[in-house]
Amino acid sequence: HIAFDFGDLGKTGLHIRNSVACVTNGSGAQHTVTCSIETWADIVTGKSQLSAAIDTGQVVVIGDVSVVRSALAIFEVEGLRS
């Protein structure tokens, strides 16, 4: 279960199991991804890579970053497959 915290724009989440993702409110997630909505938009549109955004501090992961990376890599989104 991964929460996404977009600051003043709110929090949401994905519970991923057996390659199926269900939207949640992010409550109780074991991992939290924090970034601006603009940074996340750049990642999901392929303008930037998740790994680069983590390395530069644009994305902060609370929890196990390797679990977050591998879980999000199941999606066919180039920015998440880094």
Side-chain angles (χ1 to χ4, degrees):
H1 187 192
I2 302 170
F4 298 89
D5 185 345
F6 300 113
D8 292 341
L9 295 177
K11 187 175 180 180
T12 190
L14 284 177
H15 187 200
I16 304 167
R17 184 174 55 188
N18 298 326
S19 297
V20 174
C22 296
V23 177
T24 72
N25 65 4
S27 181
Q30 295 88 350
H31 315 281
T32 301
V33 174
T34 302
C35 65
S36 70
I37 197 72
E38 294 83 7
T39 296
W40 190 247
D42 285 347
I43 293 167
V44 298
T45 60
K47 287 183 179 178
S48 64
Q49 300 291 312
L50 177 62
S51 60
I54 291 170
D55 292 345
T56 62
Q58 290 179 295
V59 171
V60 175
V61 176
I62 298 170
D64 189 333
V65 69
S66 63
V67 169
V68 170
R69 286 180 178 180
S70 64
L72 295 178
I74 68 165
F75 298 103
E76 294 181 6
V77 175
E78 191 60 37
L80 297 175
R81 293 183 167 194
S82 56

